[in-house]
Amino acid sequence: LWVWLDDNTNSHSLIGKRGGTQNEYWILHQGGEGFKVRVWDGGTSTDRIASTVGVGSTGQWYFVVVWHDATANTLNIQIDDGTVDSSSYTAGINDSNSEFDLGRQPGGDYFDGRLDSVSIWK
C-alpha cells in the first residue's frame, strides 16, 4: 500500500483484520517508532518495525510492503523498496472472521493521512 502521513507523532491504523478476541494482522504507523506490522497466532501477538526508515516524515508518500513467509518462517516489512526488516516467526497467523478495516481502528479512531493502491494477497 501507499501511505501519506499528515501526522507522524500519533499512532494510526493503516489496515487490519482484528477486533475482539479474533485478531489476524494489523499494519500501522506508530508515533515515535514508525511503520509496524503486528500479527497474531491465535492468542499471542508479534511485532516487526521497519527500523530502516525511522518515524517517517509528513507530506511524503511511502510504499509499504508486508509479508509472512511461511516457508522461511519470517515476518517482513519493507518501505520504499529499501532494506527488508525481517525477523524469525514460526507460529503462523490466525485465520479469523474479524472485520477488515482500512484506515480505521475497530470502534473508531481514523487514520490522519491518505492511503492508495492497497492490495492484499492471501
Side-chain angles (χ1 to χ4, degrees):
L1 73 145
W2 285 93
V3 179
W4 175 282
L5 299 172
D6 286 336
D7 169 27
N8 66 354
T9 58
N10 295 303
S11 296
H12 299 285
S13 182
L14 304 176
I15 65 171
K17 192 170 178 194
R18 61 196 187 98
T21 59
Q22 293 295 313
N23 297 306
E24 197 168 323
Y25 62 87
W26 184 25
I27 302 170
L28 65 150
H29 180 271
Q30 182 135 11
E33 292 186 34
F35 294 100
K36 177 189 286 190
V37 58
R38 178 174 292 160
V39 295
W40 285 265
D41 64 5
T44 305
S45 67
T46 300
D47 293 354
R48 182 66 213 152
I49 297 172
S51 59
T52 56
V53 172
V55 174
S57 301
T58 59
Q60 175 178 335
W61 284 104
Y62 291 95
F63 184 58
V64 180
V65 179
V66 173
W67 70 99
H68 171 242
D69 185 331
T71 303
N73 291 318
T74 59
L75 182 60
N76 310 279
I77 185 167
Q78 182 182 36
I79 311 298
D80 291 337
D81 201 27
T83 302
V84 175
D85 287 295
S86 182
S87 59
S88 176
Y89 184 74
T90 60
I93 298 176
N94 188 36
D95 187 12
S96 75
N97 59 358
S98 295
E99 292 181 5
F100 173 76
D101 286 307
L102 181 63
R104 179 182 82 86
Q105 294 200 56
D109 293 345
Y110 292 89
F111 171 58
D112 189 8
R114 302 170 215 166
L115 301 175
D116 192 18
S117 302
V118 176
S119 302
I120 299 172
W121 290 269
K122 184 174 179 180

